[in-house]
Amino acid sequence: PAYSTSHDWELELAAVIGREAFRVNPADALDHVFGYTMVNDITTRDLVFRKDMPAIGSDWYRAKNAPGFLPAGPLLVPAKFFGDPQDVRLTLKLNGKAMQDESTQDMIFDIATLVSAASQTMPLRPGDLILSGSPAGNGQHWGRLLRHGDVMEGTISGLGTQVIHCRDEV
């Protein structure tokens, strides 16, 4: 979007809810996951914190919801064919250079814990996405945010490769 030049990448594993989950415990949480896909949780960094309304604090809605943000896919793999979501590799290359490269084994919270925690507040319904969080190496870390002409290639084991061509809004 033209209103900013501080757009950043965050490659993440997404659990796709398959049946309602409300206040489930971590031991049962994965029973509610239909499958897995990859997403790039693109974020406009200068919109995360509201300078015009500091009492509000962070504004993730504005920062993460522009047209073209959160590209998903290319595959949705059913959980029974995916294997262990805590043993896959996430790699994001920007213009051919690896910027993120880490295993879900290194995540702070596992997928079951994330699904359980989200279900404590509101019912999760089929089709809802629960994102894993991003490995180290987003653009803010590198001091290099997205530019017109950049190509991001995100790969997650078992989910293929997602190719995103970045273009300025006209």
Side-chain angles (χ1 to χ4, degrees):
Y3 51 74
S4 176
T5 58
S6 65
H7 311 297
D8 199 350
W9 61 84
E10 296 181 29
L11 186 66
E12 302 188 30
L13 177 65
V16 181
I17 300 300
R19 65 183 182 94
E20 187 169 309
F22 188 51
R23 298 189 178 140
V24 298
N25 63 52
D28 299 323
L30 294 184
D31 295 338
H32 297 266
V33 174
F34 168 76
Y36 298 92
T37 192
M38 88 174 76
V39 298
N40 191 329
D41 193 12
I42 299 170
T43 304
T44 302
R45 293 287 173 210
D46 62 354
L47 295 183
V48 172
F49 297 103
R50 295 290 301 251
K51 295 177 182 94
D52 59 331
M53 293 185 217
I56 288 177
S58 58
D59 187 346
W60 296 106
Y61 180 79
R62 287 189 329 152
K64 292 185 175 277
N65 285 293
F69 281 24
L70 200 71
L75 300 175
L76 168 58
V77 176
K80 66 182 179 179
F81 299 115
F82 187 68
D84 183 359
Q86 294 313 129
D87 191 20
V88 296
R89 185 144 219 94
L90 292 82
T91 305
L92 184 128
K93 293 180 182 177
L94 180 67
N95 303 322
K97 179 182 177 190
M99 306 302 270
Q100 293 182 294
D101 186 10
E102 198 163 1
S103 170
T104 53
Q105 293 175 353
D106 299 323
M107 291 172 36
I108 296 170
F109 300 106
D110 62 27
I111 297 294
T113 299
L114 293 170
V115 170
S116 173
S119 81
Q120 301 307 308
T121 303
M122 66 180 291
L124 303 177
R125 304 216 188 276
D128 286 348
L129 300 177
I130 303 299
L131 279 58
S132 66
S134 184
N138 63 22
Q140 192 170 34
H141 165 84
W142 294 106
R144 190 337 185 149
L145 298 173
L146 294 170
R147 301 179 193 137
H148 179 82
D150 283 343
V151 177
M152 293 182 286
E153 294 177 52
T155 303
I156 297 180
S157 307
L159 293 175
T161 298
Q162 178 189 83
V163 179
I164 306 296
H165 296 266
C166 300
R167 299 285 179 251
D168 286 344
E169 185 176 53
V170 289

